Amino acid sequence: AISLSALTALAAEEGRDLGAGSTMGMFNTAMSLGQIGGPIISGVLLDLYGMQSVFNFGGLMGLIGVALFYLLIYKE
């Protein structure tokens, strides 16, 4: 939630080159899929493995997200 405004600004800037409608459409699709899939996956992990697995999964997804962001943004 803290980074949502910054992410939206980045998407808007990229939209200038790639098309604003398609860029924001993909951005909103990704956000919606995360809001749908996150609770479902977390609930399954909670039922199968307990509360600790939910936090481990969330941390792992955060690290993967940061790594992907770095790889996609960093240009030599």
Side-chain angles (χ1 to χ4, degrees):
I2 293 172
S3 65
L4 188 57
S5 57
L7 290 172
T8 306
L10 285 172
E13 285 182 14
E14 289 298 320
R16 292 181 187 151
D17 298 329
L18 304 172
S22 60
T23 302
M24 291 309 292
M26 290 300 293
F27 176 76
N28 286 327
T29 299
M31 291 294 295
S32 296
L33 287 174
Q35 290 178 353
I36 292 168
I40 293 171
I41 293 170
S42 296
V44 169
L45 288 173
L46 177 66
D47 286 344
L48 294 176
Y49 303 109
M51 183 65 78
Q52 184 66 38
S53 66
V54 176
F55 288 100
N56 291 339
F57 176 72
L60 180 64
M61 290 297 104
L63 290 174
I64 290 172
V66 169
L68 286 174
F69 179 79
Y70 178 77
L71 291 173
L72 292 172
I73 297 300
Y74 182 71
K75 297 174 183 161
E76 285 188 48

